[in-house]
Amino acid sequence: MDTIQHTIEIPLVGVNSEHCARIIEGGLSEIEGVTKYRVDINNKKAIIEVNNSKEAIDKAIRTIRDLGYEVGSIKKIFPVTGMSCASCAISAETIMKAQNGVLNAIVNFANSNATVEYIPDLINTSQMKQALQSIGYDMIIEEENAEELKEEIYKNHLSELRTNIIWVIALTLPVVALGMFFMDMPNGNILMMVLTTPVIFWFGKNFFKNAIKQAKHFKATMDTLVALSTGIAYLFSVFNTFYPEFWKKRGVESHVYFEAVSVVITFILLGKFLEERAKSSTSSAIKKLLGLQPKKVIVIYGSGNEKEISISQVKIGDRILVRPGDKIPVDGELFEGNSFVDESMISGESIPVEKTTGAKVFAGTINQKGSFKIVAQKVGGETVLAQIIKMVQEAQGSRAPVQKLVDKISGIFVPVIIGISILSLIIWGIIGGENGLTYGLLSMVTVLIIACPCALGLATPTAIMVGIGKGAERGILIKDAESLELAKNVNTVILDKTGTITEGKPEVTEILTIAQSATDNLKEILLSIESQSGHPLADAVSKRLRGEGVKQVPISNLESITGKGVRAIYNGQNYFVGNKALLRENNITIDGALESKANEWEKEAKTAVYFSDANEVQIVAIIADRIKKTSAEAVAKLQSGGIDVYMLTGDNTQTASAVAKQVGIMEFRAEVLPSGKSDFIKGLQSKGKIVAMVGDGINDSQALAQADVSIAMGKGSDIAIDASKMTIISSDLLLIPEAIQLSKLTVKTIKQNLFWAFIYNIISIPIAAGILFPINGFILNPMIAGAAMALSSVSVVSNSLWLKMKSLD
């Protein structure tokens, strides 16, 4: 039979000469399975004929890349629905990787996302969606509102799961009562069968549907084992209900195991519900980031005509109007107007930045006071905000180490159990004599029942739920197992400055005056000017003076002097509030002692605001972002535990140095942009460090996403909180050492649970298969197997609950 040839066109990037083409063709010539090849320079494509399409294509692409060229691939993130366990993610990933044109795929069960690198010329998203649907899953390929669709599907699924659990428990309780206490009740078996049938075939139908779809692709997941164990036990029980004499003639009492079937389904559904609850908020960070960009913008055309258009229609060079309170839609440059803009998303600093003509503005930052106009310079996926979103998405799509371990265990566990159950049937049939088939069937069912993965399925989610609850009691919110698995190994902690080490809000720490105290009238004038100034530092002064009970007086002719301060008139006399440049410009003097004190404070990176009449400075307000009371103690505690502590900030070097010195941090980096924070973490990780990032601002999102463990301050931005894996509600840094200890205890509990779950299986499965029968004639009754299975689950849950009693000191 002739081999089928496939012609494939691989798009190329950076191939612009015949020399490049010859190099690529030379590489393609050495690939087994590539029968014909040529490089089309004009259309920038490598055209190959292959007889083993997937393998040969992958080799061709690797060869092109190894030669220093690139193919026209793209990387996208797609929400995946319908996954119920870690094995499902493996199956979904495997089927995706098997598609022609897919270069790589990572399916993350924790956030239900697939990160796929593919060549659009070879495969489209609809084909990938169909491939996943063939094994029981689905993929959201709509680019608009994908996260909203995913959230809606999740909420519907959780609601359905909760309803199913209620119904299953209602049906299971009477079945258990009948099976345990009313076994001799007339028609009791019929009643149990009637109650169990909807449990297994309605509320548990997805186990069977998924198992069948997986089997078509020669794969097995937890659904396979659940379907086999409950299915065989149910059919076995139905047979015994209607034909009990079959066993009695052979000297064996007929038993039904409807209660075991119902309990198994109940435990598995409950485990799934707990698991879904634990990973429910993984997409909220992306939604918040996307929410920073407005859907509509006002574009100015021609001679000044304004028109509201969709953000997707904005082009580079468009002139855009930004009103007070608006979120800035794109990166651009201000060409008319002035205002203060909250850039905490970019800089991490809480003090809004003054913007005048020629200043740069960034998408997602918030205009506070005043309107202005900008020229769009970066739009769509090129904005700083879009880059942050992309980095967070890609980092969230990475796989946790613990997930790989669970995947491997699940992949081995399921086929081994199935094999043992079949083997026990065969061996009993060969050596069991006339009752061999009878004992073989009993052993096969018992193995499947006793090995049902309830304990394995509950080992991780119950420990996580208890750990999360214990953390919440201490003010530590933990979102998933990834941070728990890695936090115990953290040897480096990176702290943001503003809002993490410091309070994150400027306030007046000192009021300096010429005399012992300023007159009430002077403070009244100062408050009146600052309350109308609109400058963020003025708000701090106003707050301090109002706290002292100072009242306002009428002032006039308030004038803002850009970059220097303000001027106003009271009772016909000029008064000034601002910096030293304002004093020099107006020939205002300052008392030597007062100036000396102000200089001392400025050396500690605090800001001095000067208030004067027309001749001399009367008051100096010292403004600072206070360091939290527990920051130095927390740093010392981390360092005493052998953890390296760094500080990264977008603030200036003088401020950073002063703060680092006060809290005992030896290593710090100042004037660091969001990408710089992320790069610094990458550098530490390349040296083998396990890095925890602690931040409070949207600007920390990239670094939080890159870090092995991300921790947000609860009083910081919602974006930082949603992007992180842990949140310190009170923003107290002393809780970080506790979070690391909680991680150690929780992971230890998970390992104990898994250990006992497998020890239970290692001991019980051979007994269930009949290994003791030749020694003492003992063969395990499936009823006892069902009880043992339930007991194994109870022991795992009990061990998890014991975590509540342990100290975090």
Side-chain angles (χ1 to χ4, degrees):
M1 182 182 294
D2 294 335
T3 302
I4 298 176
Q5 297 290 312
H6 299 273
T7 301
I8 305 295
E9 295 184 356
I10 303 174
L12 301 174
V13 178
V15 178
N16 49 23
S17 68
E18 289 295 333
H19 176 69
C20 297
R22 300 293 82 79
I23 292 175
I24 294 174
E25 288 174 349
L28 296 174
S29 67
E30 299 178 3
I31 299 175
E32 184 178 352
V34 176
T35 57
K36 292 183 180 180
Y37 51 86
R38 69 182 180 87
V39 174
D40 184 344
I41 294 295
N42 295 328
N43 295 311
K44 298 191 182 302
K45 291 182 178 180
I47 304 169
I48 62 175
E49 286 191 14
V50 296
N51 53 31
N52 184 342
S53 57
K54 176 60 177 173
E55 184 179 356
I57 291 171
D58 288 346
K59 287 182 178 179
I61 291 170
R62 284 198 300 270
T63 297
I64 293 170
R65 286 180 162 176
D66 289 344
L67 291 171
Y69 303 100
E70 194 51 77
V71 298
S73 65
I74 60 174
K75 182 185 286 187
K76 285 189 176 181
I77 298 174
F78 302 97
V80 177
T81 62
M83 296 190 297
S84 59
C85 66
S87 299
C88 295
I90 295 176
S91 297
E93 184 175 303
T94 302
I95 200 73
M96 290 289 282
K97 287 181 177 179
Q99 306 306 303
N100 282 338
V102 174
L103 306 186
N104 192 30
I106 297 176
V107 179
N108 189 302
F109 178 59
N111 60 14
S112 299
N113 279 343
T115 304
V116 187
E117 183 183 5
Y118 65 101
I119 300 176
D121 289 12
L122 301 183
I123 189 171
N124 57 46
T125 54
S126 296
Q127 291 170 318
M128 289 188 279
K129 180 184 177 77
Q130 291 170 4
L132 282 180
Q133 288 175 333
S134 71
I135 57 171
Y137 313 119
D138 204 350
M139 186 169 78
I140 299 173
I141 59 176
E142 292 81 4
E143 294 194 15
E144 289 189 13
N145 304 319
E147 289 296 327
E148 286 83 352
L149 287 172
K150 176 183 172 183
E151 185 69 14
E152 183 180 352
I153 291 171
Y154 163 76
K155 287 180 179 178
N156 292 337
H157 171 65
L158 200 64
S159 176
E160 180 184 356
L161 197 54
R162 185 186 293 109
T163 302
N164 287 349
I165 289 172
I166 294 171
W167 276 104
V168 165
I169 291 175
L171 293 168
T172 297
L173 288 176
V175 174
V176 172
L178 288 168
M180 301 298 292
F181 305 110
F182 303 98
M183 292 177 286
D184 298 326
M185 175 182 172
N187 298 318
N189 289 353
I190 296 292
L191 182 56
M192 285 193 291
M193 182 185 71
V194 170
L195 291 171
T196 302
T197 299
V199 171
I200 186 172
F201 292 119
W202 181 253
F203 299 109
K205 64 180 181 294
N206 286 335
F207 297 125
F208 294 88
K209 289 169 61 178
N210 293 337
I212 291 170
K213 288 182 177 180
Q214 294 288 334
K216 290 179 180 178
H217 293 269
F218 304 100
K219 298 183 182 299
T221 65
M222 290 295 186
D223 289 332
T224 307
L225 201 54
V226 174
L228 280 174
S229 61
T230 57
I232 292 175
Y234 176 83
L235 293 175
F236 185 74
S237 299
V238 170
F239 180 84
N240 288 356
T241 298
F242 292 106
Y243 304 103
E245 66 279 0
F246 177 85
W247 300 106
K248 292 179 181 178
K249 289 178 182 178
R250 290 159 175 79
V252 179
E253 185 178 352
S254 63
H255 290 285
V256 295
Y257 308 104
F258 293 117
E259 75 281 3
V261 171
S262 296
V263 168
V264 166
I265 297 294
T266 301
F267 267 110
I268 295 298
L269 288 178
L270 183 59
K272 288 182 181 298
F273 181 77
L274 292 174
E275 198 171 73
E276 290 294 330
R277 287 281 301 273
K279 64 188 187 69
S280 62
S281 61
T282 53
S283 64
S284 57
I286 298 301
K287 289 196 301 179
K288 290 282 181 65
L289 286 170
L290 291 171
L292 287 172
Q293 190 173 55
K295 297 184 183 300
K296 299 288 185 179
V297 298
I298 299 175
V299 176
I300 305 167
Y301 293 102
S303 59
N305 296 325
E306 297 177 3
K307 182 180 180 182
E308 187 176 73
I309 65 172
S310 170
I311 184 68
S312 61
Q313 297 177 284
V314 177
K315 302 184 297 294
I316 293 175
D318 281 350
R319 295 182 298 163
I320 298 170
L321 173 65
V322 181
R323 297 169 300 191
D326 282 354
K327 296 172 184 174
I328 296 173
V330 296
D331 292 357
E333 183 177 308
L334 190 148
F335 70 88
E336 183 179 319
N338 61 81
S339 182
F340 286 92
V341 174
D342 179 359
E343 291 190 341
S344 57
M345 186 273 289
I346 299 297
S347 67
E349 303 307 316
S350 58
I351 301 175
V353 179
E354 185 176 10
K355 298 293 182 180
T356 56
T357 302
K360 301 287 185 181
V361 294
F362 303 96
T365 57
I366 301 172
N367 179 29
Q368 293 199 326
K369 301 175 181 179
S371 297
F372 58 84
K373 299 174 183 178
I374 64 172
V375 175
Q377 295 180 328
K378 291 183 179 180
V379 301
E382 298 302 316
T383 66
V384 172
L385 174 63
Q387 294 301 313
I388 291 175
I389 292 172
K390 181 180 178 182
M391 290 187 71
V392 172
Q393 285 181 318
E394 290 182 355
Q396 286 186 336
S398 61
R399 175 166 292 140
V402 69
Q403 194 67 48
K404 296 179 183 178
L405 176 61
V406 172
D407 290 346
K408 290 178 181 178
I409 293 171
S410 301
I412 296 171
F413 185 80
V414 175
V416 166
I417 295 304
I418 295 172
I420 291 173
S421 67
I422 295 172
L423 184 62
S424 65
L425 173 63
I426 294 172
I427 292 175
W428 273 109
I430 295 173
I431 66 173
E434 67 178 45
N435 288 328
L437 180 60
T438 300
Y439 289 132
L441 284 171
L442 283 171
S443 296
M444 181 179 182
V445 171
T446 305
V447 167
L448 289 170
I449 290 175
I450 207 166
C452 189
C454 284
L456 186 61
L458 290 170
T460 299
T462 54
I464 290 172
M465 293 301 289
V466 173
I468 288 172
K470 186 175 180 66
E473 292 174 0
R474 296 291 302 149
I476 305 166
L477 297 183
I478 303 168
K479 293 183 181 177
D480 58 34
E482 181 178 355
S483 55
L484 284 176
E485 206 261 341
L486 288 174
K488 66 183 179 64
N489 297 323
V490 165
N491 50 31
T492 302
V493 171
I494 295 178
L495 304 175
D496 177 47
K497 180 183 73 68
T498 304
T500 301
I501 296 175
T502 67
E503 296 288 351
K505 46 191 176 183
E507 61 180 35
V508 175
T509 59
E510 298 289 337
I511 296 287
L512 307 178
T513 63
I514 297 178
Q516 286 286 48
S517 61
T519 65
D520 289 341
N521 186 240
L522 284 173
K523 287 187 176 181
E524 288 172 350
I525 298 169
L526 175 58
L527 173 60
S528 302
I529 295 173
E530 291 291 67
S531 63
Q532 297 183 41
S533 169
H535 195 285
L537 294 181
D539 293 338
V541 174
S542 299
K543 181 179 179 181
R544 169 65 178 263
L545 295 177
R546 287 194 183 100
E548 294 180 359
V550 177
K551 305 298 182 181
Q552 291 184 230
V553 294
I555 61 172
S556 61
N557 296 82
L558 182 72
E559 178 186 357
S560 175
I561 304 170
T562 303
K564 297 174 183 176
V566 294
R567 173 171 48 204
I569 295 176
Y570 173 71
N571 282 345
Q573 184 174 348
N574 282 322
Y575 287 90
F576 300 86
V577 182
N579 55 25
K580 285 186 176 180
L582 182 66
L583 304 182
R584 289 192 295 268
E585 186 177 277
N586 292 276
N587 298 315
I588 296 169
T589 62
I590 181 171
D591 177 76
L594 193 62
E595 184 175 21
S596 178
K597 289 180 181 179
N599 288 339
E600 288 178 11
W601 287 117
E602 286 183 326
K603 288 178 182 178
E604 295 189 14
K606 296 184 179 182
T607 302
V609 174
Y610 300 90
F611 168 64
S612 74
D613 55 25
N615 302 307
E616 186 178 18
V617 171
Q618 302 296 320
I619 298 174
V620 180
I622 303 299
I623 299 177
D625 189 2
R626 286 184 183 272
I627 294 174
K628 296 174 184 174
K629 294 179 181 179
T630 59
S631 292
E633 184 182 351
V635 169
K637 195 169 184 178
L638 288 169
Q639 291 171 337
S640 66
I643 296 175
D644 296 329
V645 182
Y646 294 81
M647 183 182 76
L648 301 183
T649 179
D651 213 334
N652 62 73
T653 302
Q654 185 179 11
T655 301
S657 177
V659 171
K661 183 178 180 181
Q662 289 183 50
V663 298
I665 295 176
M666 306 305 294
E667 296 284 345
F668 70 90
R669 301 289 186 277
E671 301 178 10
V672 182
L673 294 176
S675 59
K677 292 182 180 181
S678 179
D679 291 341
F680 184 77
I681 292 174
K682 287 179 183 178
L684 291 174
Q685 289 170 330
S686 68
K687 298 175 183 177
K689 298 289 187 179
I690 306 299
V691 181
M693 172 67 195
V694 187
D696 79 313
I698 300 172
N699 68 299
D700 298 319
S701 293
Q702 292 181 10
L704 288 168
Q706 179 61 41
D708 299 293
V709 178
S710 49
I711 305 174
M713 295 289 100
K715 294 181 180 178
S717 73
D718 289 340
I719 307 303
I721 291 172
D722 286 325
S724 67
K725 298 297 179 66
M726 291 187 183
T727 300
I728 307 300
I729 298 176
S730 65
S731 295
D732 185 354
L733 286 180
L734 276 176
L735 291 178
I736 293 177
E738 288 195 16
I740 294 173
Q741 177 64 14
L742 178 62
S743 165
K744 293 178 180 178
L745 292 175
T746 307
V747 173
K748 183 179 179 180
T749 301
I750 292 172
K751 289 182 177 180
Q752 289 173 344
N753 287 347
L754 292 173
F755 173 78
W756 288 115
F758 278 98
I759 284 293
Y760 155 79
N761 279 291
I762 290 169
I763 295 173
S764 63
I765 290 172
I767 295 175
I771 196 171
L772 295 179
F773 187 81
I775 301 173
N776 56 15
F778 176 80
I779 184 166
L780 187 64
N781 190 309
M783 178 74 74
I784 299 174
M789 178 277 299
L791 182 62
S792 70
S793 299
V794 171
S795 66
V796 164
V797 175
S798 298
N799 188 52
S800 296
L801 292 174
W802 181 248
L803 177 61
K804 287 186 176 182
M805 309 301 295
K806 297 180 179 179
S807 172
L808 296 181
D809 293 334

